[in-house]
Amino acid sequence: MKDELGTLKNLVDGFLPSIYGLKYSNVWPHVPYVELAIIGAKKIGIGDASNGVCGGMVYAARDLFERKMLAPPETTAPHADSNAFKFLLRRSLQSFDLPKGVLDYYGWMNLASQDTMLFAGLLLRGTSWRTVHQSMPAIKRVIDSGHPCPLGLVCTHSPDPFKLKLNHQVLAWGYEITDTMTTIKVYDPNHPCDDTITVSFNHIGINGTTDFQGLMGEHTIFGFFPTTYSLVDCQPLFE
């Protein structure tokens, strides 16, 4: 909807990070996301929860909202042997939509912010253009339909796959768009119970590059895209 100043805005009715977001921060022990058995009784761990389980926390917040279940009241993160912690690890893996999701992050990590002209007049769109012209319309559709939208934030430009862990995930639950600026309201697992966290950017851009601001300045943001979400039973969060 537009207000009297012509600002386009919408919020997901009833959603607030302080209500459906988990009340503990995204700080975890050195525990693998999953362990795979190899020869004999030996196991190999994949992933490290200490790098964060933001994807699991974001998906859990949407699970809770869709089920109309208030977030657990605990402000201390669940211990590593709990069903709640194991659930968040599973949801983190699911948030990567393997292998497609990881390839999406890695592909964006290897794009320039601005568009690049290739041979034969081919134009390779950068992260700024893709965010403004592809991601935002898709995000708006999800929010306008009454649902929060998980976002994958690209926070590094690098061909090094080990830097995938530097990216971040948040949950968009509202937006405000003026002639030049877009502001997205997000649940950030790094800041529990905070309803004021946003990501803002000038969607006009300068020389094809958009400057993204927000998330308390803790991340450099080069662009973002909506991630694939499917609802699951979130009862383990309470166990």
Side-chain angles (χ1 to χ4, degrees), residues 118-158:
L118 304 177
F119 59 89
L122 295 176
L123 185 64
L124 179 63
R125 295 295 189 182
T127 54
S128 291
W129 187 95
R130 293 176 188 229
T131 300
V132 173
H133 296 284
Q134 293 180 341
S135 298
M136 270 311 301
I139 295 164
K140 283 177 70 278
R141 285 193 295 271
V142 176
I143 292 174
D144 290 346
S145 69
H147 304 278
C149 183
L151 305 184
L153 305 184
V154 180
C155 301
T156 182
H157 275 318
S158 176

Side-chain angles (χ1 to χ4, degrees), residues 1-2 5 9 32-33 53 65-66 80 93 101 104 127 137 142 147 168 178 188-189 198 232 235:
M1 65 184 71
K2 286 189 177 182
L5 299 178
K9 59 175 64 175
Y33 276 32
V53 294
F65 175 76
E66 301 295 348
L93 285 174
D104 286 340
T127 54
V142 176
H147 304 278
H168 191 41
T178 67
D188 183 354
T198 62
V232 303
Q235 183 60 40

Side-chain angles (χ1 to χ4, degrees), residues 170-204:
V170 297
L171 186 64
W173 58 277
Y175 63 82
E176 182 174 308
I177 303 174
T178 67
D179 288 341
T180 59
M181 294 295 299
T182 295
T183 298
I184 306 173
K185 294 179 176 292
V186 301
Y187 158 56
D188 183 354
N190 292 347
H191 296 277
C193 298
D194 193 333
D195 298 335
T196 70
I197 304 295
T198 62
V199 175
S200 298
F201 59 96
N202 185 324
H203 52 247
I204 302 301

Side-chain angles (χ1 to χ4, degrees), residues 44-65:
I44 183 172
I46 297 177
D48 187 346
S50 68
N51 293 326
V53 294
C54 51
M57 297 176 74
V58 161
Y59 276 47
R62 179 162 174 183
D63 293 337
L64 289 164
F65 175 76

Side-chain angles (χ1 to χ4, degrees), residues 22-175:
L22 298 175
K23 300 184 186 305
Y24 38 81
S25 191
N26 184 27
V27 179
W28 306 95
H30 286 282
V31 177
Y33 276 32
V34 65
E35 288 185 326
L36 299 179
I38 55 176
I39 298 175
K42 189 173 181 180
K43 294 183 178 180
I44 183 172
I46 297 177
D48 187 346
S50 68
N51 293 326
V53 294
C54 51
M57 297 176 74
V58 161
Y59 276 47
R62 179 162 174 183
D63 293 337
L64 289 164
F65 175 76
E66 301 295 348
R67 302 276 185 189
K68 295 299 181 282
M69 300 168 64
L70 300 183
E74 288 79 14
T75 58
T76 301
H79 59 81
D81 292 328
S82 66
N83 287 335
F85 181 65
K86 295 173 183 178
F87 173 82
L88 291 172
L89 291 184
R90 289 196 301 273
R91 287 308 263 153
S92 288
L93 285 174
Q94 291 162 357
S95 75
F96 290 124
D97 190 24
L98 298 172
K100 177 183 178 299
V102 171
L103 294 176
D104 286 340
Y105 280 105
Y106 189 68
W108 279 60
M109 285 168 54
N110 285 275
L111 292 170
S113 294
Q114 72 277 7
D115 297 344
T116 304
M117 187 64 70
L118 304 177
F119 59 89
L122 295 176
L123 185 64
L124 179 63
R125 295 295 189 182
T127 54
S128 291
W129 187 95
R130 293 176 188 229
T131 300
V132 173
H133 296 284
Q134 293 180 341
S135 298
M136 270 311 301
I139 295 164
K140 283 177 70 278
R141 285 193 295 271
V142 176
I143 292 174
D144 290 346
S145 69
H147 304 278
C149 183
L151 305 184
L153 305 184
V154 180
C155 301
T156 182
H157 275 318
S158 176
D160 183 356
F162 289 100
K163 291 188 176 180
L164 280 161
K165 65 183 180 182
L166 299 179
N167 299 311
H168 191 41
Q169 296 186 62
V170 297
L171 186 64
W173 58 277
Y175 63 82

